[in-house]
Amino acid sequence: MANFLAIIDSNPERRARYIDTIKKELAPIESLAINSAAIGDFCIVWANSKNTSVSIALEQKSGAVVFGRPVSDNQKEEIGAGTLLDLWSNDEKRLNAFYNGFYAGIVYSIDKGLTAGADLLGIYPVYYWSSNNVLLAGSSPELFKYHPYFSAQLNPEGLISILLTTHIFDGQTLFKGVKRLQSGCILRFENGKEAKEEVQYKIKPTMKYYDLPFSAHLEILNDAIENTMSRHVPAKGKYSLLLSGGLDSRMLAGFLQEQNIDFDAITMGLDSDIEMQTARKVVKSLGIKQNKIEVEYEQYASCGENLAKWEHISNGFNDIFNWGYCRQMRNYENLVLGHSFDAVIGTRYINWAYSSMQKKMSFDTFFENVNKWGIKPEVLKRLFGNSAVYNNMIDEIIQKIRNTYESYSEIESQRAWCFNLYNRQRFHVGSSAFTMSFGALPIMPAIDRKLLECAAAIPAASIAERRAQTELLCSRFPKLARLPIDRNSYDTTPLKPRVRYLAGREFYRLMKKVLSFSKNVQSEHRYYYRIYDFDNKGWKAVRREAEPYRKKIYDIFDKEELNKLLPRPEEQANLKENIADASGYKLLTGIMLWSKGNL
């Protein structure tokens, strides 16, 4: 899409010097075009790929820029910069003018100031900082530090949030004074006033469909998905679907073909990966072309540096590979992503709040599962040297997380569903859309008001554990349901298996048992286990790149505790669970890389 930076500064010389400086630094990857627009004290500059959708509307005293393609509830309505300029400049219409899909928009008026916003979940990043009547707003905090008024200081609250949850919380970033715009909000800045956030849209869970039988829930979800796909992926145009061997993209592939969409598939990984093998069967069944892409281990170090620099660890430090994949996406125009579909209509994350021992749902159980991807509070307190200040801050942030979780609904399952969407899905999962946008234009049907509100009215008994989503695939697309499916495990038994698959189930069990004795990279065929392995060649390179900066974070963390916790590059981590257990180590590795240019 575009890496953008907007500034309001009444000093024309200072503003011009700043813009000239950041133009040289703006492009996260090579071969992006640099563009700009200015009105009065306002200027916006951006770097975008050839496939980016950028809409611009400039008038004498106002203007707007939109990155991406906002989607209206009305299938025929096209939303561009002119539409946003008209609506967001109107105080009465502004708060009701929100759209579906993945996008960000900036509107400026000499008389009314600046308005900035993004998609319903806030997946497109918008960061902001203001001081002395100067405002900076952009898709990354990285360029803020070039302004003479800005002082780069570590924000402990942002750091603790990231270490606890593997992403930022409550808009707090690693830079003191810099916030990320909350989901469903727009940023407002008028001369002489403080920057503020106004709520445009929040999901409101209901019990609208709680009395209906499961069969009715399937019909309602089916209609909602059909409607969503028709609006987000209109028949005109050529599309590429990011197709894994799993459930989400397989389901979308079925709907795309049913709606006569012209599309091919892109699958990440190696031929030996289970994900690639199962995806290949889906592609063959659909009769479409499959394009294969892979990020080599040699690229991991540069990918890690890009993530630390441009994302500031706001989304964690697990998915560094996206900074390699985005370059390969330049060969494609419209990229359909199934990201977060399972979280909306078939989430297993509701179960994160459920304790099988206690037979009940609770925040404590939910937070324990969230925190598995970060660093446990008791370990984090030791890491900060058992400082009373940090200990209190850790406890206060956990309480804020609890309060936010409980604010979503009176129903525990809805709390878990909402918290996951507004946090893990927004950051850990959704961040790849922004990175991929430097190659192709991301299309995210899951970010849709009607679909979200539909799922928010269906009980957990239907949508949890992917029950409805699985049944929907089996009933609507039985041919796809009979094919082997990737579960991020060695069990690829189809959702609707034929007799021969049932007979072969024991074989798969034995294969998994045999392969589990060897944990080296050569024998690992599960895609995510392979690429997330903290001891593989790629991650070793990232760790070597970060290691020289370990001493820089001794000022933050207790030296002895840090060295005890985080293995050095020459040491094997030897984790029991290569994905979740490594996540906290990766956060600390990313913070070391981030400290390179910021501490």
Side-chain angles (χ1 to χ4, degrees), residues 146-439:
Y146 293 99
H147 194 281
Y149 280 2
F150 186 82
S151 175
Q153 299 177 50
L154 179 68
N155 176 18
E157 190 171 345
L159 175 63
I160 292 170
S161 298
I162 289 170
L163 293 173
L164 284 173
T165 67
T166 199
H167 53 69
I168 63 173
F169 177 74
D170 194 33
Q172 297 291 334
T173 72
L174 288 178
F175 275 161
K176 189 174 289 186
V178 174
K179 295 203 70 177
R180 178 159 170 172
L181 186 64
Q182 298 277 44
S183 53
C185 292
I186 54 173
L187 173 67
R188 288 285 299 133
F189 181 77
E190 300 176 66
N191 292 337
K193 297 183 180 180
E194 291 290 323
K196 65 177 182 178
E197 298 187 23
E198 296 178 347
V199 178
Q200 262 193 335
Y201 176 80
K202 292 292 181 186
I203 304 169
K204 295 179 180 179
T206 69
M207 298 180 67
K208 183 178 180 180
Y209 302 130
Y210 271 51
D211 287 341
L212 300 181
F214 180 61
S215 59
H217 294 158
L218 289 179
E219 292 176 2
I220 291 166
L221 280 174
N222 176 74
D223 293 346
I225 296 170
E226 279 188 343
N227 180 270
T228 296
M229 295 301 291
S230 67
R231 287 183 290 107
H232 288 256
V233 192
K236 58 179 181 179
K238 178 71 169 65
Y239 301 90
S240 296
L241 171 67
L242 193 60
L243 178 71
S244 71
L247 179 55
D248 289 337
S249 58
R250 182 177 305 211
M251 183 188 70
L252 292 192
F255 278 101
L256 288 173
Q257 189 166 73
E258 189 177 72
Q259 295 179 1
N260 297 316
I261 302 299
D262 181 13
F263 74 104
D264 57 19
I266 303 172
T267 305
M268 298 172 174
L270 304 173
D271 285 339
S272 56
D273 290 338
I274 292 172
E275 180 152 329
M276 182 68 74
Q277 293 167 6
T278 52
R280 188 181 300 126
K281 294 181 183 299
V282 174
V283 165
K284 183 178 179 181
S285 175
L286 294 172
I288 60 174
K289 178 184 177 183
Q290 183 183 39
N291 306 285
K292 295 179 286 187
I293 59 176
E294 168 71 355
V295 174
E296 304 293 337
Y297 287 145
E298 290 75 18
Q299 297 174 265
Y300 278 37
S302 62
C303 289
E305 286 202 354
N306 262 349
L307 190 152
K309 178 178 181 179
W310 294 106
E311 297 183 43
H312 279 225
I313 326 298
S314 292
N315 308 304
F317 199 69
N318 288 297
D319 295 322
I320 61 174
F321 335 97
N322 294 324
W323 286 99
Y325 281 129
C326 69
R327 290 175 167 85
Q328 301 179 54
M329 291 296 177
R330 292 169 174 167
N331 299 322
Y332 311 97
E333 186 176 350
N334 299 302
L335 181 65
V336 181
L337 301 174
H339 291 44
S340 298
F341 235 95
D342 66 324
V344 176
I345 69 165
T347 179
R348 67 184 185 277
Y349 297 101
I350 288 177
N351 287 53
W352 280 19
Y354 177 68
S355 168
S356 59
M357 291 183 63
Q358 298 176 342
K359 300 294 186 294
K360 71 173 188 177
M361 313 270 282
S362 71
F363 168 78
D364 292 329
T365 303
F366 185 82
F367 180 75
E368 183 181 341
N369 281 294
V370 169
N371 184 236
K372 281 180 181 177
W373 292 79
I375 298 176
K376 293 181 179 179
E378 60 271 20
V379 176
L380 192 54
K381 289 177 179 180
R382 292 200 301 270
L383 196 56
F384 283 117
N386 285 315
S387 158
V389 173
Y390 277 99
N391 284 1
N392 290 336
M393 197 175 294
I394 291 168
D395 292 338
E396 289 170 0
I397 290 172
I398 294 174
Q399 185 60 48
K400 282 184 179 179
I401 294 172
R402 179 189 293 272
N403 293 343
T404 299
Y405 173 89
E406 292 176 349
S407 71
Y408 291 127
S409 173
E410 295 296 320
I411 300 173
E412 204 73 31
S413 62
Q414 291 181 343
R415 291 172 172 176
W417 183 81
C418 287
F419 191 96
N420 173 55
L421 285 176
Y422 280 131
N423 291 276
R424 184 174 179 81
Q425 297 303 312
R426 181 188 181 195
F427 300 113
H428 177 67
V429 176
S431 62
S432 61
F434 177 65
T435 315
M436 297 288 186
S437 73
F438 293 111

Side-chain angles (χ1 to χ4, degrees), residues 543-585:
R543 292 160 65 182
R544 285 193 296 270
E545 196 71 27
E547 187 60 27
Y549 308 102
R550 181 184 290 253
K551 59 182 179 294
K552 294 196 74 172
I553 63 174
Y554 286 156
D555 291 337
I556 306 171
F557 303 115
D558 181 273
K559 178 180 178 181
E560 185 177 335
E561 290 294 333
L562 177 66
N563 291 339
K564 188 193 310 180
L565 178 64
L566 182 65
R568 295 182 183 274
E570 64 273 11
E571 301 171 339
Q572 291 289 107
N574 294 320
L575 301 168
K576 292 181 180 179
E577 216 291 326
N578 282 345
I579 299 179
D581 289 353
S583 186
Y585 289 171

Side-chain angles (χ1 to χ4, degrees), residues 521-539:
V521 173
Q522 286 73 25
S523 67
E524 182 56 78
H525 301 295
R526 296 168 297 179
Y527 172 71
Y528 286 108
Y529 278 87
R530 178 174 64 79
I531 67 170
Y532 280 128
D533 184 356
F534 197 52
D535 288 324
N536 71 29
K537 292 179 181 179
W539 277 106

Side-chain angles (χ1 to χ4, degrees), residues 38-63:
I39 300 168
D41 296 337
F42 166 82
C43 183
I44 181 170
V45 56
W46 65 92
N48 65 278
S49 72
K50 64 179 181 179
N51 294 324
T52 296
S53 175
V54 181
S55 175
I56 307 169
L58 293 178
E59 298 179 358
Q60 188 173 358
K61 298 180 66 177
S62 63

